[in-house]
Amino acid sequence: IVTNSGPSTASAITVTDVLPAQLTFVSATSTSGTFTNNNGTVSGTIASLTSGQRATITLVTTVRNDVPD
């Protein structure tokens, strides 16, 4: 969850998450903005959030088969 605590509108918000090597990216959804995967680095931009507004980003991954239990 990305939250703008204010006091003004935040613009061109960049979000990046590097996945651990044990995970395989499946999908990304967001209530605001578009997110993509590039070799385990998920990134995207939220155009703007007004003060107090938040965006939820959901990443779906799987554990790689070659990872020990």
Side-chain angles (χ1 to χ4, degrees):
I1 297 175
V2 177
T3 303
N4 178 4
S5 296
S8 33
T9 298
S11 301
I13 305 152
T14 301
V15 179
T16 302
D17 188 13
V18 178
L19 300 177
Q22 301 86 351
L23 299 180
T24 299
F25 175 83
V26 175
S27 65
T29 57
S30 176
T31 56
S32 181
T34 303
F35 289 78
T36 58
N37 174 54
N38 184 9
N39 295 319
T41 299
V42 181
S43 60
T45 302
I46 299 169
S48 67
L49 291 175
T50 59
S51 179
Q53 187 178 16
R54 67 181 176 182
T56 300
I57 304 156
T58 304
L59 303 181
V60 178
T61 63
T62 58
V63 178
R64 293 180 32 194
N65 290 335
D66 59 346
V67 175
D69 290 335

